[in-house]
Amino acid sequence: MAAAPAPAPQAQCHADGAKFAVGEPASAQLETAARVRAGAESVRILKPNQVVTLEFNGGRLNLVVDARNRVTAVRCG
């Protein structure tokens, strides 16, 4: 019996690449640019007081926004 193929390596997020987004208004274009520059597989916007799942995903970029929809922080997970 042949061994199952190894899973494809998951993209690894590097938040430093997305720091340019801090202070900018969140938009679809900003999400895409930040995701690409961070090398992330996916991106999500985290709004104030929003309930979010806490599972760690090393390939996901989180853009934290304030009440004015401006990015205040970027982090992976």
Side-chain angles (χ1 to χ4, degrees):
M1 180 184 315
Q10 187 176 16
Q12 200 58 33
C13 174
H14 301 282
D16 285 347
K19 285 187 176 181
F20 75 94
V22 174
E24 298 295 324
S27 67
Q29 295 85 359
L30 184 70
E31 284 183 48
T32 300
R35 180 185 57 76
V36 169
R37 288 177 61 177
E41 197 170 70
S42 62
V43 63
R44 69 178 173 177
I45 300 289
L46 301 178
K47 297 177 181 177
N49 302 313
Q50 178 180 344
V51 176
V52 296
T53 59
L54 297 178
E55 87 283 355
F56 182 81
N57 179 339
R60 178 174 55 207
L61 176 66
N62 295 302
L63 299 178
V64 181
V65 298
D66 62 14
R68 297 179 307 139
N69 204 42
R70 295 229 176 238
V71 177
T72 59
V74 296
R75 61 177 178 253
C76 297

